[in-house]
Structures are given as structure tokens and as C-alpha cells.
Amino acid sequence: MERSTTSWLRTLGIQLSLCFALYIVLNLGQPQKLVYNDNGSPFDLYFISVRGGFRSLQEQTHLLKLMGNVAKAYDLKFVVNISELGEDDPLMQNVTRLSPLLNVPWYTTGGSKHDGFGCFLHQVKLPRGRMLDILSLNTASLQDTVVVGSPSGKRGNLSNWLTRTLKATTSDWRVVVGFHPLVACKENEEEFTAKLINEPLHHIFVKFGVNVYLSQQGCFSYALQDNVAYIGNPGLIKENSRLGYGNGRYRIRTEMTDGFLLHRLGSLEMVSTLFIFN
């Protein structure tokens, strides 16, 4: 399927805008200062992607309230929940009670009831007659151990569904969502570089013009491979910080850090802003 000539401009916009947005947010520091003028247009669409899973009630409340404040500030249209638990994810079950401001559609990965093997397509109408495809993949099947030379039936079903679905649509934007990251770290002599985990799936992304793959965060939070942006969502993670004593000694303090991504989708670019707190 041939894509429009603006595809490479759109991808370049993703790369440059993502890096710029992450730089601004990570250097502002405090969550209450993260709302800023990102030169958005009234025709842009905003959505959040968040890592689901189990959290304490206090952690859920903190996360959902911050997401609700962002939703109100940016006229949020929907939330993408990256989870292995599907509709049973605790965030989805508690969102109405803990954060009424997040009264928007939620789309979740993992164990979806939309079909027999946990994949679905949701199309979102954009301003000016444009269209966004949200395609959710049940990437658990990609983790199966496969004998070399013998393709897995589940993997084949996943690839066939993705190919068939992408062939049937002609949307302006295509965002694929899965729980597992598809980019790993490859150590060279002086640095780490991105390495694709699943080449056949990546080939389908490239062939049919997929713009973005969203997942949980692996060793990379962002990587660009053949015009496909792989973006990792941090979720609830442990971070180590050094506390100095002034005599050259320090101790390590472990803190839990949580966060989510706010995405602004324009005609030629997608800006992704990271919100983190502890």
C-alpha cells in the first residue's frame, strides 16, 4: 500500500518534537510546572498513554489525579492503557472513583475482549477529515519459545491480523500499541545502541506506514528505526539516587518513580511529553 509523500515529514516531526518535549519537561523538574505552551493548534488532538498494572491505592490516587488535571488542561480525548491485564487492570477499574476528570474513553492492551486473541483496531476521527488508527497487539504471543525454522501459530495469527487490518485502512496516522517493547539494547565498545527484537513485525510496520509503536519502557525510552518511532512508557519504576555527606562518602536511596506520556497529535507531527513524579 502506497502512503502519501508527507509520511517522511510526519516521522521527522515525531523525532524532533519528541526530543524537544522530553528535554523541556525533564529539566523543568516539578510536576506542577509541566503545563507549558508547546505551540499547539486548535486542530490538534491530545491523548495520554500510561503503564497499567498493580499499584497501592495511594499510588493510584496520585497518578490518576495528575492525569485528570492534565486531561482538563489539554481537552484530552482518550487514554491508552499499556497493561497485561486488559479490562481487569486496576487503573481502569478505579478511574471513575478516583479521578472524575478522566471521564474519557480508555483503550487497553492485553487480554482484550474484542476478539479471540486480544487484538483490536479503534479509529479516531481527527479535525479536517483526518483519521487516526489505534491498533492494539497482544504481544504475549511474541514471548513464546519458538524452535528455529518452525513459526509459532500464535505469532502467525498476530502477523496475519496486523497485515490484514493495515491493508484495510487508509488512515493518516497509525499508532500500534503493545505491552512488550520491541527494541532492546546492543552494547558496542563505547555505547549502547538500539536493536530490534522482532524483525518480521518491524517489516510490517515499515511496509504499511506505521508511525509509532507504544509499549512499556525497556532499556530505551525512545528509538527511531526506519521511520518507525518506538516509544516506551516508564510506569512505576525504582530509581537510585546518591546522597552525599561532604566527605566523599554517599549512600544509595531507592525511590519509586511513576509517570505517563501526554501526546499531541497534529497534522505533520506528534509531540510526546513525559510527566514523572515520586
mmCIF file of all heavy atoms in Angstrom, residues 224-252:
data_model
loop_
_atom_site.group_PDB
_atom_site.id
_atom_site.type_symbol
_atom_site.label_atom_id
_atom_site.label_comp_id
_atom_site.label_asym_id
_atom_site.label_seq_id
_atom_site.Cartn_x
_atom_site.Cartn_y
_atom_site.Cartn_z
ATOM 1 N N LEU A 224 14.289 5.403 16.981
ATOM 2 C CA LEU A 224 13.736 5.545 15.638
ATOM 3 C C LEU A 224 14.421 4.544 14.730
ATOM 4 O O LEU A 224 15.641 4.563 14.584
ATOM 5 C CB LEU A 224 13.951 6.969 15.118
ATOM 6 C CG LEU A 224 13.298 7.287 13.768
ATOM 7 C CD1 LEU A 224 11.781 7.312 13.892
ATOM 8 C CD2 LEU A 224 13.815 8.615 13.212
ATOM 9 N N GLN A 225 13.622 3.666 14.127
ATOM 10 C CA GLN A 225 14.145 2.647 13.228
ATOM 11 C C GLN A 225 13.351 2.676 11.925
ATOM 12 O O GLN A 225 12.149 2.400 11.907
ATOM 13 C CB GLN A 225 14.028 1.254 13.873
ATOM 14 C CG GLN A 225 14.835 1.071 15.149
ATOM 15 C CD GLN A 225 16.309 0.882 14.873
ATOM 16 O OE1 GLN A 225 16.695 0.387 13.820
ATOM 17 N NE2 GLN A 225 17.150 1.264 15.820
ATOM 18 N N ASP A 226 13.991 3.035 10.835
ATOM 19 C CA ASP A 226 13.346 3.031 9.512
ATOM 20 C C ASP A 226 12.035 3.814 9.518
ATOM 21 O O ASP A 226 11.004 3.341 9.021
ATOM 22 C CB ASP A 226 13.086 1.597 9.042
ATOM 23 C CG ASP A 226 14.358 0.791 8.925
ATOM 24 O OD1 ASP A 226 15.373 1.357 8.476
ATOM 25 O OD2 ASP A 226 14.348 -0.395 9.302
ATOM 26 N N ASN A 227 12.054 5.006 10.116
ATOM 27 C CA ASN A 227 10.901 5.901 10.164
ATOM 28 C C ASN A 227 9.773 5.413 11.084
ATOM 29 O O ASN A 227 8.669 5.967 11.046
ATOM 30 C CB ASN A 227 10.320 6.160 8.770
ATOM 31 C CG ASN A 227 11.275 6.958 7.895
ATOM 32 O OD1 ASN A 227 12.139 7.676 8.393
ATOM 33 N ND2 ASN A 227 11.132 6.828 6.582
ATOM 34 N N VAL A 228 10.020 4.405 11.892
ATOM 35 C CA VAL A 228 9.061 3.974 12.910
ATOM 36 C C VAL A 228 9.606 4.393 14.280
ATOM 37 O O VAL A 228 10.734 4.035 14.639
ATOM 38 C CB VAL A 228 8.837 2.448 12.884
ATOM 39 C CG1 VAL A 228 7.821 2.043 13.952
ATOM 40 C CG2 VAL A 228 8.370 1.995 11.507
ATOM 41 N N ALA A 229 8.823 5.170 15.029
ATOM 42 C CA ALA A 229 9.246 5.620 16.354
ATOM 43 C C ALA A 229 8.783 4.617 17.401
ATOM 44 O O ALA A 229 7.586 4.342 17.521
ATOM 45 C CB ALA A 229 8.666 6.999 16.656
ATOM 46 N N TYR A 230 9.729 4.061 18.168
ATOM 47 C CA TYR A 230 9.428 3.139 19.264
ATOM 48 C C TYR A 230 9.519 3.933 20.569
ATOM 49 O O TYR A 230 10.599 4.394 20.948
ATOM 50 C CB TYR A 230 10.403 1.969 19.274
ATOM 51 C CG TYR A 230 10.215 1.012 18.111
ATOM 52 C CD1 TYR A 230 10.825 1.246 16.878
ATOM 53 C CD2 TYR A 230 9.420 -0.118 18.245
ATOM 54 C CE1 TYR A 230 10.641 0.381 15.808
ATOM 55 C CE2 TYR A 230 9.235 -1.000 17.176
ATOM 56 C CZ TYR A 230 9.848 -0.740 15.966
ATOM 57 O OH TYR A 230 9.657 -1.610 14.909
ATOM 58 N N ILE A 231 8.379 4.088 21.256
ATOM 59 C CA ILE A 231 8.304 4.921 22.450
ATOM 60 C C ILE A 231 7.924 4.053 23.641
ATOM 61 O O ILE A 231 6.906 3.350 23.615
ATOM 62 C CB ILE A 231 7.285 6.062 22.276
ATOM 63 C CG1 ILE A 231 7.639 6.908 21.055
ATOM 64 C CG2 ILE A 231 7.219 6.936 23.515
ATOM 65 C CD1 ILE A 231 6.636 7.995 20.741
ATOM 66 N N GLY A 232 8.730 4.123 24.716
ATOM 67 C CA GLY A 232 8.480 3.338 25.922
ATOM 68 C C GLY A 232 7.869 4.188 27.024
ATOM 69 O O GLY A 232 8.294 5.311 27.265
ATOM 70 N N ASN A 233 6.862 3.647 27.706
ATOM 71 C CA ASN A 233 6.215 4.341 28.817
ATOM 72 C C ASN A 233 6.812 3.857 30.131
ATOM 73 O O ASN A 233 6.839 2.661 30.393
ATOM 74 C CB ASN A 233 4.713 4.070 28.795
ATOM 75 C CG ASN A 233 3.930 5.162 29.468
ATOM 76 O OD1 ASN A 233 4.053 5.357 30.666
ATOM 77 N ND2 ASN A 233 3.111 5.877 28.708
ATOM 78 N N PRO A 234 7.297 4.769 30.997
ATOM 79 C CA PRO A 234 8.070 4.355 32.174
ATOM 80 C C PRO A 234 7.276 3.596 33.212
ATOM 81 O O PRO A 234 7.770 2.640 33.797
ATOM 82 C CB PRO A 234 8.578 5.691 32.739
ATOM 83 C CG PRO A 234 7.597 6.701 32.268
ATOM 84 C CD PRO A 234 7.158 6.228 30.914
ATOM 85 N N GLY A 235 6.049 4.012 33.504
ATOM 86 C CA GLY A 235 5.275 3.345 34.545
ATOM 87 C C GLY A 235 5.909 3.494 35.908
ATOM 88 O O GLY A 235 6.684 4.418 36.175
ATOM 89 N N LEU A 236 5.601 2.576 36.824
ATOM 90 C CA LEU A 236 6.109 2.601 38.194
ATOM 91 C C LEU A 236 7.447 1.875 38.227
ATOM 92 O O LEU A 236 7.521 0.663 38.047
ATOM 93 C CB LEU A 236 5.114 1.926 39.136
ATOM 94 C CG LEU A 236 5.382 2.032 40.639
ATOM 95 C CD1 LEU A 236 5.345 3.483 41.099
ATOM 96 C CD2 LEU A 236 4.359 1.224 41.424
ATOM 97 N N ILE A 237 8.536 2.624 38.465
ATOM 98 C CA ILE A 237 9.879 2.045 38.431
ATOM 99 C C ILE A 237 10.671 2.498 39.644
ATOM 100 O O ILE A 237 10.326 3.470 40.328
ATOM 101 C CB ILE A 237 10.639 2.443 37.151
ATOM 102 C CG1 ILE A 237 10.749 3.978 37.044
ATOM 103 C CG2 ILE A 237 9.967 1.870 35.922
ATOM 104 C CD1 ILE A 237 11.555 4.452 35.866
ATOM 105 N N LYS A 238 11.757 1.776 39.926
ATOM 106 C CA LYS A 238 12.658 2.149 41.012
ATOM 107 C C LYS A 238 13.808 2.967 40.460
ATOM 108 O O LYS A 238 14.360 2.653 39.410
ATOM 109 C CB LYS A 238 13.213 0.901 41.712
ATOM 110 C CG LYS A 238 12.203 0.137 42.549
ATOM 111 C CD LYS A 238 12.873 -1.022 43.263
ATOM 112 C CE LYS A 238 11.877 -1.778 44.132
ATOM 113 N NZ LYS A 238 12.530 -2.914 44.855
ATOM 114 N N GLU A 239 14.160 4.028 41.171
ATOM 115 C CA GLU A 239 15.302 4.846 40.790
ATOM 116 C C GLU A 239 16.245 4.980 41.970
ATOM 117 O O GLU A 239 15.812 5.162 43.110
ATOM 118 C CB GLU A 239 14.854 6.242 40.334
ATOM 119 C CG GLU A 239 14.267 6.276 38.945
ATOM 120 C CD GLU A 239 14.169 7.686 38.404
ATOM 121 O OE1 GLU A 239 14.305 8.623 39.211
ATOM 122 O OE2 GLU A 239 13.949 7.842 37.197
ATOM 123 N N ASN A 240 17.542 4.888 41.703
ATOM 124 C CA ASN A 240 18.553 5.054 42.747
ATOM 125 C C ASN A 240 19.160 6.453 42.672
ATOM 126 O O ASN A 240 19.543 6.909 41.602
ATOM 127 C CB ASN A 240 19.665 4.009 42.597
ATOM 128 C CG ASN A 240 19.173 2.603 42.856
ATOM 129 O OD1 ASN A 240 18.273 2.398 43.671
ATOM 130 N ND2 ASN A 240 19.741 1.630 42.172
ATOM 131 N N SER A 241 19.233 7.134 43.803
ATOM 132 C CA SER A 241 19.859 8.455 43.851
ATOM 133 C C SER A 241 20.961 8.435 44.906
ATOM 134 O O SER A 241 20.866 7.743 45.922
ATOM 135 C CB SER A 241 18.823 9.533 44.195
ATOM 136 O OG SER A 241 18.197 9.258 45.434
ATOM 137 N N ARG A 242 22.029 9.215 44.673
ATOM 138 C CA ARG A 242 23.161 9.279 45.595
ATOM 139 C C ARG A 242 23.009 10.470 46.532
ATOM 140 O O ARG A 242 22.814 11.604 46.084
ATOM 141 C CB ARG A 242 24.468 9.398 44.813
ATOM 142 C CG ARG A 242 24.780 8.170 43.956
ATOM 143 C CD ARG A 242 26.164 8.288 43.347
ATOM 144 N NE ARG A 242 26.505 7.096 42.573
ATOM 145 C CZ ARG A 242 27.697 6.868 42.061
ATOM 146 N NH1 ARG A 242 28.663 7.759 42.215
ATOM 147 N NH2 ARG A 242 27.930 5.770 41.376
ATOM 148 N N LEU A 243 23.113 10.222 47.810
ATOM 149 C CA LEU A 243 23.043 11.286 48.806
ATOM 150 C C LEU A 243 24.439 11.497 49.381
ATOM 151 O O LEU A 243 24.982 10.633 50.073
ATOM 152 C CB LEU A 243 22.056 10.908 49.924
ATOM 153 C CG LEU A 243 20.603 10.648 49.477
ATOM 154 C CD1 LEU A 243 19.759 10.267 50.684
ATOM 155 C CD2 LEU A 243 20.026 11.859 48.792
ATOM 156 N N GLY A 244 25.062 12.662 49.086
ATOM 157 C CA GLY A 244 26.424 12.927 49.557
ATOM 158 C C GLY A 244 26.465 13.440 50.974
ATOM 159 O O GLY A 244 25.513 14.040 51.477
ATOM 160 N N TYR A 245 27.588 13.227 51.662
ATOM 161 C CA TYR A 245 27.785 13.673 53.047
ATOM 162 C C TYR A 245 28.879 14.729 53.167
ATOM 163 O O TYR A 245 29.211 15.150 54.260
ATOM 164 C CB TYR A 245 28.149 12.482 53.946
ATOM 165 C CG TYR A 245 26.999 11.523 54.147
ATOM 166 C CD1 TYR A 245 27.018 10.274 53.531
ATOM 167 C CD2 TYR A 245 25.915 11.858 54.938
ATOM 168 C CE1 TYR A 245 25.971 9.383 53.711
ATOM 169 C CE2 TYR A 245 24.860 10.977 55.114
ATOM 170 C CZ TYR A 245 24.902 9.732 54.499
ATOM 171 O OH TYR A 245 23.869 8.863 54.674
ATOM 172 N N GLY A 246 29.482 15.161 52.061
ATOM 173 C CA GLY A 246 30.506 16.191 52.108
ATOM 174 C C GLY A 246 31.893 15.672 52.402
ATOM 175 O O GLY A 246 32.854 16.426 52.430
ATOM 176 N N ASN A 247 32.067 14.396 52.657
ATOM 177 C CA ASN A 247 33.384 13.829 52.941
ATOM 178 C C ASN A 247 33.763 12.770 51.898
ATOM 179 O O ASN A 247 34.579 11.899 52.161
ATOM 180 C CB ASN A 247 33.410 13.218 54.345
ATOM 181 C CG ASN A 247 32.319 12.164 54.537
ATOM 182 O OD1 ASN A 247 31.551 11.898 53.605
ATOM 183 N ND2 ASN A 247 32.263 11.588 55.721
ATOM 184 N N GLY A 248 33.122 12.891 50.753
ATOM 185 C CA GLY A 248 33.423 11.941 49.688
ATOM 186 C C GLY A 248 32.665 10.643 49.787
ATOM 187 O O GLY A 248 32.815 9.768 48.950
ATOM 188 N N ARG A 249 31.832 10.501 50.814
ATOM 189 C CA ARG A 249 31.051 9.290 51.000
ATOM 190 C C ARG A 249 29.593 9.571 50.629
ATOM 191 O O ARG A 249 29.123 10.700 50.692
ATOM 192 C CB ARG A 249 31.143 8.808 52.445
ATOM 193 C CG ARG A 249 32.570 8.494 52.882
ATOM 194 C CD ARG A 249 32.606 8.149 54.349
ATOM 195 N NE ARG A 249 31.811 6.965 54.651
ATOM 196 C CZ ARG A 249 31.565 6.540 55.897
ATOM 197 N NH1 ARG A 249 32.022 7.213 56.933
ATOM 198 N NH2 ARG A 249 30.851 5.460 56.089
ATOM 199 N N TYR A 250 28.893 8.543 50.280
ATOM 200 C CA TYR A 250 27.483 8.703 49.937
ATOM 201 C C TYR A 250 26.775 7.385 50.205
ATOM 202 O O TYR A 250 27.386 6.332 50.389
ATOM 203 C CB TYR A 250 27.319 9.113 48.465
ATOM 204 C CG TYR A 250 27.823 8.078 47.481
ATOM 205 C CD1 TYR A 250 26.995 7.059 47.016
ATOM 206 C CD2 TYR A 250 29.144 8.117 47.017
ATOM 207 C CE1 TYR A 250 27.457 6.121 46.129
ATOM 208 C CE2 TYR A 250 29.609 7.174 46.118
ATOM 209 C CZ TYR A 250 28.758 6.174 45.678
ATOM 210 O OH TYR A 250 29.216 5.229 44.795
ATOM 211 N N ARG A 251 25.452 7.470 50.253
ATOM 212 C CA ARG A 251 24.658 6.254 50.326
ATOM 213 C C ARG A 251 23.617 6.285 49.208
ATOM 214 O O ARG A 251 23.277 7.336 48.682
ATOM 215 C CB ARG A 251 23.953 6.130 51.683
ATOM 216 C CG ARG A 251 22.878 7.169 51.952
ATOM 217 C CD ARG A 251 22.303 6.987 53.358
ATOM 218 N NE ARG A 251 21.301 7.989 53.678
ATOM 219 C CZ ARG A 251 20.006 7.872 53.417
ATOM 220 N NH1 ARG A 251 19.566 6.790 52.797
ATOM 221 N NH2 ARG A 251 19.158 8.828 53.752
ATOM 222 N N ILE A 252 23.146 5.114 48.840
ATOM 223 C CA ILE A 252 22.165 4.993 47.773
ATOM 224 C C ILE A 252 20.767 4.975 48.377
ATOM 225 O O ILE A 252 20.483 4.200 49.295
ATOM 226 C CB ILE A 252 22.383 3.703 46.951
ATOM 227 C CG1 ILE A 252 23.775 3.713 46.310
ATOM 228 C CG2 ILE A 252 21.299 3.558 45.896
ATOM 229 C CD1 ILE A 252 23.964 4.787 45.279
#
